[in-house]
Amino acid sequence: MLNIIADQNMPLVETLFAPFGNISLLPGRSISAADVREADVLLVRSITNVDRQLLEGSAVRFVGSATIGTDHIDKAYLAEAGIEFAHAPGCNAEAVVQYDLAVMSHLVPEWRQKTVGIVGCGNVGSRLYRRLVDLGVSCAVYDPFLSVDEIADLGDLAAVTACDIICLHTPLTTDGDFPSYHLFNKNTLMSLNPDVLLINAGRGAVIDNQALLEAFRQGFAGKVALDVWESEPEVDRALMAFVALATPHIAGYSLDGKINGTAMIYRAFHHWVGLGEPQNTHYNKEALSPIDVHSLNQAILHSYNIALDDKRMRVAINDSRMPVSQSFDQLRKDYPVRNEFTHYAVKPDSAHATDCKKLGFSILD
């Protein structure tokens, strides 16, 4: 039997992995070298740094991260140590697109008449781009690792920063020809349109948070929605007071997204132990929820009322009785069930059925 250590916020771990060994569920941010010393398998999300310091001298031979990104994983060390690694590219991409569209619908109801810039066109950015283009929205994309053959609206960073709405979905990198660390620094921020909507649901340090705070203090009038924070789980209360929407790194926290992440690393694990493809890979069996649609914005916000997440965040972070970092992690741990667009069914004769379908809503028979 295997010893398995897993982040306590990963759904279905006990259901899927229990037949293979003993499972210990721990807070992801506090998983330590002592915790994993006798473990064979480590299952994490983005808040656990997996590197030599954590794993050297341990029995771990398989690491699974139920996330799109891997900047919290030292993949070079895992390869050097002969530790198998799997992650879940695209697992919660639809949830993050839902987050972006909810922000737009809430803060800029006329977003379909605006220009939207996307920085980073990978799993999330590419989905967002396709949805917007399908709806006839004018887009500009900055991703130096792609070509115009792949993305017709590819351009330079200046083309994106000139847009009315900007969505950040690049991984966090600090080296190479195109580092994303502090890509949105003081100079970039001051070059934005005065009524811009800037959304960061990628990595916190892509925006220089201190520069953003100073820009606000100097009169920056743009709207900003932050789901990720440079020093999280610490959150600068002063910065939070200026941003239009504040959430605790939950853009991808849909039920489907979390289940997909666990299921994807479970499939990789199943192959690793020599059992091939598991028979059952569909785990969310909730029935469709019919909705009456009066506008596309209303449908989006019915699926995800982002204002409630913002309210919960501000109440928790401003509560001086609990450390900010603890409040931040508690919000993530206690996050309510959120379903993606596919969970909601629109009547086929609705005037907005076609547009809803383009975003992924189900259509009633």
Side-chain angles (χ1 to χ4, degrees):
M1 297 292 280
L2 300 172
N3 290 321
I4 301 170
I5 300 292
D7 186 310
Q8 64 184 11
N9 288 339
M10 289 175 58
L12 292 178
V13 166
E14 291 174 298
T15 300
L16 297 178
F17 289 88
F20 299 94
N22 302 309
I23 299 173
S24 297
L25 301 177
L26 301 174
R29 210 178 298 277
S30 65
I31 293 175
S32 68
D35 294 324
V36 303
R37 186 168 294 120
E38 303 300 325
D40 303 291
V41 174
L42 175 62
L43 309 176
V44 300
R45 293 186 58 82
S46 61
I47 60 175
T48 305
N49 289 320
V50 180
D51 52 18
R52 183 186 299 272
Q53 182 177 352
L54 180 68
L55 296 183
E56 190 166 48
S58 76
V60 171
R61 284 294 166 261
F62 180 94
V63 171
S65 181
T67 59
I68 293 178
T70 59
D71 49 285
H72 57 298
I73 305 289
D74 187 341
K75 292 188 286 185
Y77 169 72
L78 296 187
E80 172 192 324
I83 299 172
E84 184 77 8
F85 173 65
H87 68 123
C91 65
N92 62 356
E94 294 293 345
V96 183
V97 170
Q98 180 190 40
Y99 169 90
D100 285 337
L101 292 168
V103 172
M104 295 182 206
S105 298
H106 183 74
L107 294 178
V108 186
E110 69 282 10
W111 57 270
R112 294 182 70 175
Q113 285 71 55
K114 301 294 185 179
T115 56
V116 178
I118 301 171
V119 178
C121 207
N123 283 298
V124 175
S126 62
R127 281 174 171 81
L128 176 62
Y129 172 71
R130 290 195 299 270
R131 301 292 189 278
L132 294 173
V133 169
D134 284 348
L135 289 171
V137 177
S138 177
C139 294
V141 174
Y142 174 66
D143 191 321
F145 301 100
L146 298 178
S147 69
V148 291
D149 294 332
E150 298 168 286
I151 300 293
D153 294 300
L154 198 67
D156 58 14
L157 183 60
V160 167
T161 56
C163 289
D164 303 308
I165 300 171
I166 302 170
C167 304
L168 306 183
H169 293 297
T170 177
L172 182 62
T173 57
T174 57
D175 53 17
D177 294 332
F178 306 101
S180 64
Y181 176 79
H182 284 187
L183 182 64
F184 277 65
N185 54 25
K186 177 182 178 180
N187 291 335
T188 308
L189 292 167
M190 298 311 295
S191 74
L192 303 181
N193 290 330
D195 58 350
V196 70
L197 168 58
L198 177 61
I199 304 171
N200 191 5
R203 289 293 182 262
V206 173
I207 297 177
D208 182 339
N209 281 202
Q210 187 59 41
L212 179 59
L213 177 58
E214 290 304 314
F216 275 125
R217 286 172 169 167
Q218 292 172 18
F220 175 71
K223 297 175 181 177
V224 177
L226 293 183
D227 181 60
V228 289
W229 307 77
E230 185 165 5
S231 57
E232 65 181 61
E234 296 295 337
V235 172
D236 187 335
R237 289 189 177 112
L239 177 58
M240 187 179 71
F242 281 107
V243 303
L245 286 172
T247 49
H249 201 155
I250 46 74
Y253 253 40
S254 70
L255 177 62
D256 288 296
K258 290 191 283 188
I259 287 175
N260 289 341
T262 304
M264 289 173 74
I265 62 173
Y266 172 67
R267 285 197 290 271
F269 169 83
H270 216 258
H271 281 276
W272 178 68
V273 295
L275 295 177
E277 188 71 11
Q279 292 184 349
N280 182 14
T281 58
H282 303 285
Y283 305 103
N284 189 2
K285 303 295 185 181
E286 288 195 19
L288 294 179
S289 176
I291 59 172
D292 292 322
V293 176
H294 307 293
S295 71
L296 188 60
N297 284 352
Q298 176 256 330
I300 291 168
L301 294 173
H302 179 96
S303 77
Y304 177 30
N305 187 347
I306 193 169
L308 295 180
D309 279 351
D310 173 79
K311 181 178 180 180
R312 280 189 287 264
M313 171 88 163
R314 294 181 194 276
V315 169
I317 297 302
N318 287 323
D319 186 346
S320 60
R321 295 172 299 176
M322 185 179 293
V324 167
S325 59
Q326 187 176 339
S327 295
F328 188 90
D329 283 342
Q330 195 68 39
L331 284 164
R332 289 165 56 85
K333 180 182 178 182
D334 297 338
Y335 191 66
V337 171
R338 179 177 126 218
N339 288 293
E340 296 177 6
F341 292 145
T342 54
H343 175 76
Y344 298 94
V346 178
K347 295 177 181 178
D349 58 352
S350 166
H352 304 282
T354 299
D355 287 345
C356 285
K357 185 176 181 180
K358 289 176 181 178
L359 292 184
F361 284 87
S362 299
I363 305 298
L364 287 171
D365 295 330

